[in-house]
Amino acid sequence: MRKSLLIKIHLYCGLFTLFYLIAFGFSSIILNHDIKLEKSDVTSSWNSTVTIDANLDDEDLAESVRYQLDLMGWTPPWEFRKDSITFFFKITHPGRKYHVNLDLTTGDVQVGEAPKGFLAVLHGLHFFNGNFPNAPFFLRTWAVYQWLTLFIMFISIVVGLWLWIKYNYHRWEGLVFGGLFVASMVIMMLI
Amino acid sequence: MKDNSYHIFRKVHLYASLSIVVFLLMYLVTSYLMIHGDWFQTYFHEDEVAEIMVDPSEISKDNWAQFMDKYHIRGRLTKEHISSTGDLQREYTTAGKNFRITVFKDQNLVEIKTIKRNTAGTLVGFHRIRGFGGPLQYDLYAIMLDLVGVSLILFAITGMILWLKLLKYNLAAWIVLISGFVYVSAIVAYLLIV
């Protein structure tokens, strides 16, 4: 295969995965240092009314309310707080948290919105697979992008290594980075 | 004729990628395993629970390392808290195992729960382990992870600079770059707004 073609394959693959790599590089450092980026302040709130099915358990009730409010995200059960009059729960996705206060006697709901912020969203892409309850089709396409990116990144690495070995290989680079390769493997074996 | 900065960026691009090849390959494989966790049963694990009577001095702060050695507890401390009943709970994590230790309050009793992951789960464990603190190899691993983060960013940015220097009038490359940017930005914007 001609060198220019290999360079183009490497380049297109690289450009396709560019923003993903930057987001993951950033996110890896954040995770490694356990830095909290998520904002938690409620910045706005609004009210609505929903119908309550008394036969539902807490999890199903939270999901029913989420559906009626047309909100997307998970409803973590460990955030549920319930008494005879009110049911408090949260709906969360990588960009926002909703604090939902449901009046069980009237069906009135008060929703507080807590945006997590740009950096938290960028970081959240690390864990996001495009799939959470009520997510629209557009967000679900992320799973395809993620899969394609992995595949393309693999091609990019293989082609890049091939170009290096075939056209630009220096013995000292092979020794240094070969050594680093082995050292990394040894560290992995030890953990 | 290409300027000198082209060669510098090319070297940075090359070395940034070469230094993290093992990690890039590991992340590629483990990301795939995580995306298809159900296929590979990455969440499958076998648990072993042992309850041990101990002398209080055995589990004192000074003797904790010996206690860990004696019961073959390894890994990095990843969780520590006091339960509502006053029991001390600690969790140590390796790539393949978790050790959940409960020191029951006012009893000379310690429970050690060993959670063993399968091969796929162990590989995913390499992906999940992070952070400083603990035995030396975990600190070395954390240093490598920082290197991975910085290298990924450098690798991507220098790659773009090289492209601008080499093929900036290539329409197809612009289309690939801009469509990637617009797509990722649209996802981020959607998550921020909705």
Side-chain angles (χ1 to χ4, degrees):
Chain A
M1 205 182 281
R2 283 171 51 223
K3 185 183 175 186
S4 63
L5 179 64
L6 285 174
I7 289 175
K8 277 190 180 169
I9 292 172
H10 182 71
L11 187 140
Y12 290 133
C13 290
L15 288 177
F16 184 79
T17 56
L18 184 85
F19 300 103
Y20 196 78
L21 288 182
I22 292 174
F24 269 62
F26 165 75
S27 180
S28 303
I29 296 168
I30 297 301
L31 279 170
N32 204 29
H33 293 273
D34 200 20
I35 299 167
K36 305 289 176 219
L37 295 174
E38 203 173 301
K39 293 177 187 166
S40 55
D41 300 336
V42 173
T43 56
S44 63
S45 60
W46 43 275
N47 298 300
S48 186
T49 306
V50 295
T51 52
I52 298 172
D53 181 345
N55 297 319
L56 296 178
D57 62 21
D58 291 354
E59 229 162 289
D60 289 338
L61 178 58
E63 284 174 14
S64 159
V65 172
R66 180 191 60 207
Y67 180 75
Q68 291 181 64
L69 296 174
D70 197 22
L71 296 175
M72 61 179 189
W74 298 278
T75 51
W78 57 90
E79 304 269 23
F80 291 176
R81 306 279 180 273
K82 194 178 181 189
D83 57 35
S84 56
I85 301 167
T86 56
F87 178 34
F88 173 82
F89 63 96
K90 290 180 184 173
I91 302 170
T92 180
H93 66 70
R96 197 165 288 248
K97 209 171 246 184
Y98 301 93
H99 299 233
V100 183
N101 251 312
L102 171 67
D103 187 322
L104 293 166
T105 56
T106 61
D108 290 340
V109 194
Q110 190 186 42
V111 181
E113 296 195 15
K116 294 181 181 176
F118 174 73
L119 292 177
V121 172
L122 201 63
H123 178 47
L125 292 179
H126 199 124
F127 315 97
F128 180 49
N129 63 1
N131 192 12
F132 51 75
N134 268 5
F137 174 75
F138 170 60
L139 284 183
R140 291 180 191 273
T141 59
W142 183 258
V144 179
Y145 176 76
Q146 208 172 35
W147 196 94
L148 265 179
T149 303
L150 287 180
F151 180 66
I152 285 174
M153 208 193 302
F154 178 71
I155 294 173
S156 181
I157 292 170
V158 171
V159 174
L161 282 173
W162 174 254
L163 283 168
W164 170 59
I165 291 166
K166 180 92 176 161
Y167 299 105
N168 283 301
Y169 180 79
H170 297 288
R171 193 162 180 269
W172 74 267
E173 289 173 343
L175 288 171
V176 169
F177 293 105
L180 199 56
F181 187 99
V182 173
S184 302
M185 293 291 285
V186 170
I187 294 171
M188 280 187 188
M189 302 281 185
L190 292 173
I191 65 168
Chain B
M1 190 176 155
K2 290 165 196 163
D3 60 40
N4 193 38
S5 65
Y6 173 85
H7 295 287
I8 294 170
F9 284 123
R10 204 177 72 171
K11 287 291 179 196
V12 173
H13 186 70
L14 176 68
Y15 297 157
S17 58
L18 285 178
S19 57
I20 56 169
V21 164
V22 174
F23 282 85
L24 282 182
L25 291 174
M26 181 270 284
Y27 284 133
L28 280 172
V29 172
T30 54
S31 298
Y32 190 76
L33 293 175
M34 287 161 94
I35 289 172
H36 297 293
D38 294 341
W39 295 0
F40 298 100
Q41 297 188 307
T42 52
Y43 300 106
F44 178 79
H45 52 81
E46 282 175 5
D47 299 348
E48 264 175 28
V49 180
E51 288 193 337
I52 308 154
M53 295 303 290
V54 292
D55 184 278
S57 66
E58 256 195 287
I59 47 171
S60 69
K61 204 176 173 184
D62 293 338
N63 293 330
W64 186 257
Q66 287 93 313
F67 173 78
M68 284 181 64
D69 266 352
K70 184 174 175 183
Y71 293 102
H72 310 292
I73 298 161
R74 296 184 298 111
R76 183 174 170 266
L77 180 64
T78 45
K79 279 181 198 160
E80 182 174 36
H81 82 284
I82 307 285
S83 74
S84 54
T85 51
D87 306 329
L88 170 67
Q89 295 179 329
R90 282 186 177 156
E91 186 161 331
Y92 291 83
T93 305
T94 71
K97 287 179 186 171
N98 280 26
F99 299 91
R100 283 184 197 154
I101 303 159
T102 307
V103 180
F104 294 100
K105 192 188 175 191
D106 301 330
Q107 302 173 47
N108 297 333
L109 184 66
V110 175
E111 182 192 271
I112 302 173
K113 185 173 183 180
T114 307
I115 299 159
K116 291 181 195 169
R117 286 182 274 278
N118 62 8
T119 307
T122 301
L123 287 171
V124 171
F126 288 117
H127 192 123
R128 291 189 198 278
I129 280 190
R130 59 182 181 265
F132 290 85
L136 176 66
Q137 64 268 36
Y138 291 85
D139 279 343
L140 290 174
Y141 196 74
I143 290 170
M144 296 300 290
L145 292 186
D146 272 348
L147 183 68
V148 171
V150 173
S151 295
L152 275 177
I153 295 169
L154 270 181
F155 175 61
I157 291 172
T158 51
M160 194 169 75
I161 293 170
L162 290 173
W163 160 67
L164 283 170
K165 285 181 178 290
L166 260 187
L167 290 163
K168 69 176 163 190
Y169 299 112
N170 184 319
L171 180 66
W174 274 106
I175 290 170
V176 172
L177 179 74
I178 290 172
S179 54
F181 177 72
V182 168
Y183 179 72
V184 175
S185 303
I187 291 281
V188 169
Y190 197 93
L191 289 170
L192 276 171
I193 294 164
V194 180

